[in-house]
């Protein structure tokens, strides 16, 4: 196992500024590193991260979430296994696929995207991050759950605090305390709403969760609260960064942007490649159940393993020319990119594959379509260059663009 001093530290400012050179060094020289500050083994090669996520042999668990996620969300579906996990997933999954997604929630996404774009479509300028990407997922989730969208700023503050807690690799006490306060605040907000909704069921996702039953099992108030907390944080932060990243990548690759503008069926390819090239989540942890031999050494039973998705998704042993954004690459399968059979790692894999992947796909597809309709000649603002920020999650901090506003008659007839 490598411990060479020239291996960049994942807590260093240089790593936060640009982790990709560090990922290269790790994959080539130190595919398995013991990292003392986080008390975890860092894994960076595609074959190892894929194996950990798929985990067909039951060698890895999500027991790490008892200290990584439970303090801010409560006990979530991510911590469960076996039948308990299968039943809980069966309770929540239908809302995120098939007829519920198509009939109930696509119109919600379309309406929210249109309302956000209406605020800037006649101005000729916007910041894709602050004006659209950070707002669409939270507004959609609030509408799906039947919550008050005027609480958007509170939701955004909560999920930002939760993500900071999850990415608090250095153990900052203030970040920890803020995350734990958020759990209390969200429970005080959400539990009374859940209890009221049980008595007054509607057509929203929260009502569906309150009424759902599988094999005689129903979700408790605490189960539902924890899932809603997880949905806001995971669905808000990751889709926020995914929308910003796909636009940043396309704006820096003009020919590919032109291709997507002309053929909107390419949005799926652009999204899949953005998930590979600039994944919203760069790190996911697991716990080893037994001694496991990976590239570079052996992880002992009971250890925390930090899987570097951002490194694995650019492994040259898996992808040709991996540091190039290319929506036309032939080594990334778009048809399975939003399923548990994906060959990128941004949504994880196996039984803990992201339950909201198809929702994220719908938000990206609708959002990108509507933005391109409203801004057919969209371009980066003069002097602007997309700059990623973050270590645990990562994406453009701002994305100022300019465009020529369409005549009123044209945007009134544009597609939604």
């Amino acid at each position: 196992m490598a411990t060479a001093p020239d291996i960049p530290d994942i807590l260093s400012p240089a790593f936060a500024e640009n982790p990709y050179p560090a990922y290269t060094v790790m994959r080539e020289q130190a595919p398995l590193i013991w990292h003392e500050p986080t008390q975890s083994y860092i894994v960076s090669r595609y074959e190892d991260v894929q194996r950990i996520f798929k985990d067909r042999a039951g060698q890895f668990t999500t027991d790490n979430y008892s200290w990584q996620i439970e303090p801010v969300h409560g006990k979530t579906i991510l911590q469960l296994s076996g039948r308990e996990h299968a039943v809980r997933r069966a309770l929540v999954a239908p809302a995120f696929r098939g007829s519920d997604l198509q009939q109930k929630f696509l119109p919600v996404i379309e309406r929210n995207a249109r309302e956000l774009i209406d605020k800037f479509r006649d101005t000729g300028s916007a910041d894709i991050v602050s004006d659209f990407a950070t707002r669409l997922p939270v507004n959609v989730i609030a509408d799906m759950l039947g919550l008050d969208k005027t609480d958007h700023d509170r939701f955004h503050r909560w999920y930002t605090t939760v993500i900071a807690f999850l990415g608090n690799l250095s153990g900052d006490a203030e970040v920890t305390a803020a995350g734990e306060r958020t759990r209390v605040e969200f429970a005080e907000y959400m539990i009374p709403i859940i209890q009221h909704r049980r008595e007054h069921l509607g057509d929203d996702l929260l009502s569906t969760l309150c009424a759902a039953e599988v094999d005689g099992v129903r979700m408790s108030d605490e189960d539902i609260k924890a899932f809603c907390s997880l949905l806001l944080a995971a669905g808000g932060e990751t889709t926020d960064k995914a929308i910003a990243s796909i636009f940043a990548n396309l704006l820096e690759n003009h020919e590919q942007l032109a291709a997507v503008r002309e053929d909107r069926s390419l949005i799926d390819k652009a999204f899949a490649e953005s998930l590979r090239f600039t994944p919203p989540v760069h790190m996911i942890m697991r716990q080893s159940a037994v001694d496991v031999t990976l590239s570079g050494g052996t992880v002992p039973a009971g250890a925390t393993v930090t899987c570097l998705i951002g490194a694995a998704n650019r492994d040259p042993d898996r992808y040709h020319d991996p540091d190039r954004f290319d929506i036309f690459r032939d080594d990334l399968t778009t048809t399975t990119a939003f399923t548990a059979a994906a060959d990128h790692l941004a949504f994880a894999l196996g039984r803990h594959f992201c339950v909201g992947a198809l929702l994220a796909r719908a938000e990206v597809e609708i959002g990108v379509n509507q933005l391109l309709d409203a801004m057919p000649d969209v371009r980066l603002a003069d002097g602007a260059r997309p700059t990623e920020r973050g270590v645990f999650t990562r994406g453009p901090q701002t994305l100022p663009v300019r465009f020529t506003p369409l005549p009123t008659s044209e945007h009134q007839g544009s597609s939604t």
Side-chain angles (χ1 to χ4, degrees), residues 117-149:
I117 294 171
D118 281 347
K119 295 177 181 178
F120 59 77
R121 72 167 73 242
D122 295 323
T123 68
S125 66
D127 186 320
I128 297 296
V129 174
S130 60
D131 293 334
F132 190 82
T134 59
R135 305 193 76 84
L136 178 66
V138 180
N139 286 357
V140 167
I141 291 167
D143 269 358
M144 287 174 67
L145 292 171
L147 302 179
D148 187 347
K149 280 198 299 186

Side-chain angles (χ1 to χ4, degrees), residues 39-360:
Q39 292 289 291
S40 72
Y41 289 85
I42 298 176
V43 179
S44 53
R45 288 184 180 170
Y46 181 94
E47 64 174 348
D48 292 324
V49 175
Q50 181 192 47
R51 174 185 166 189
I52 292 168
F53 285 168
K54 287 187 173 180
D55 187 34
R56 294 188 177 96
Q59 296 178 323
F60 294 92
T61 73
T62 54
D63 289 350
N64 52 290
Y65 288 149
S66 63
W67 53 264
Q68 190 183 18
I69 285 182
E70 191 169 342
V72 285
H73 289 310
K75 192 169 185 178
T76 72
I77 191 172
L78 296 176
Q79 295 168 252
L80 306 179
S81 59
R83 183 178 181 278
E84 189 179 16
H85 174 265
V87 169
R88 289 300 189 282
R89 191 172 178 98
L91 286 166
V92 303
F96 297 93
R97 63 182 183 225
S99 60
D100 273 9
L101 181 60
Q102 292 290 328
Q103 296 171 18
K104 286 186 181 180
F105 301 130
L106 290 191
V108 171
I109 300 169
E110 290 169 351
R111 184 183 70 252
N112 276 286
R114 184 172 59 252
E115 289 173 352
L116 289 171
I117 294 171
D118 281 347
K119 295 177 181 178
F120 59 77
R121 72 167 73 242
D122 295 323
T123 68
S125 66
D127 186 320
I128 297 296
V129 174
S130 60
D131 293 334
F132 190 82
T134 59
R135 305 193 76 84
L136 178 66
V138 180
N139 286 357
V140 167
I141 291 167
D143 269 358
M144 287 174 67
L145 292 171
L147 302 179
D148 187 347
K149 280 198 299 186
T150 61
D151 287 325
H152 172 279
D153 290 343
R154 191 189 307 191
F155 297 147
H156 188 267
R157 174 174 58 82
W158 279 335
Y159 90 62
T160 301
T161 303
V162 167
I163 294 298
F165 180 95
L166 300 181
N168 186 21
L169 303 177
S170 61
D172 185 296
E174 291 185 10
V175 173
T176 298
E180 291 169 347
R181 283 196 303 273
T182 292
R183 175 180 176 175
V184 175
E185 291 174 11
F186 188 73
E188 291 173 347
Y189 174 89
M190 201 70 209
I191 293 293
I193 294 174
I194 293 168
Q195 292 172 343
H196 181 268
R197 199 67 53 89
R198 286 194 189 278
E199 301 300 321
H200 304 85
L201 295 175
D203 196 34
D204 52 76
L205 174 59
L206 187 56
S207 296
T208 299
L209 297 175
C210 287
E213 182 175 327
V214 172
D215 294 343
V217 177
R218 300 183 70 177
M219 297 178 75
S220 68
D221 291 354
E222 176 63 25
D223 286 339
I224 296 172
K225 183 273 298 180
F227 181 75
C228 292
S229 178
L230 181 66
L231 180 60
L232 271 171
E237 175 80 359
T238 58
T239 308
D240 159 351
K241 286 180 164 48
I243 294 170
S245 291
I246 189 174
F247 255 88
N249 290 329
L250 289 172
L251 286 165
E252 291 198 303
N253 293 272
H254 299 155
E255 291 183 359
Q256 296 181 64
L257 174 59
V260 172
R261 185 186 293 120
E262 292 302 313
D263 180 0
R264 302 299 177 82
S265 70
L266 294 175
I267 291 174
D268 267 0
K269 286 184 177 293
F271 185 25
E273 174 65 348
S274 286
L275 289 171
R276 183 201 68 82
F277 186 69
T278 48
V281 178
H282 274 233
M283 303 177 184
I284 287 181
M285 292 180 175
R286 292 286 188 264
Q287 205 90 13
S288 57
V290 297
D291 292 356
V292 183
T293 300
L294 301 170
S295 301
T298 298
V299 175
T304 300
V305 179
T306 300
C307 299
L308 297 183
I309 294 171
N313 270 354
R314 293 200 185 192
D315 191 332
D317 286 341
R318 175 60 183 80
Y319 300 104
H320 173 69
D321 199 4
D323 292 319
R324 180 169 62 91
F325 179 80
D326 179 10
I327 66 173
F328 299 108
R329 64 171 54 251
D330 59 9
D331 51 7
L332 183 67
T333 310
T334 307
T335 54
T336 58
F338 313 103
T339 73
D343 46 20
H344 65 80
L345 303 170
F347 288 136
L349 296 170
R351 63 183 178 277
H352 288 289
F353 177 80
C354 175
V355 72
L358 291 179
L359 174 64

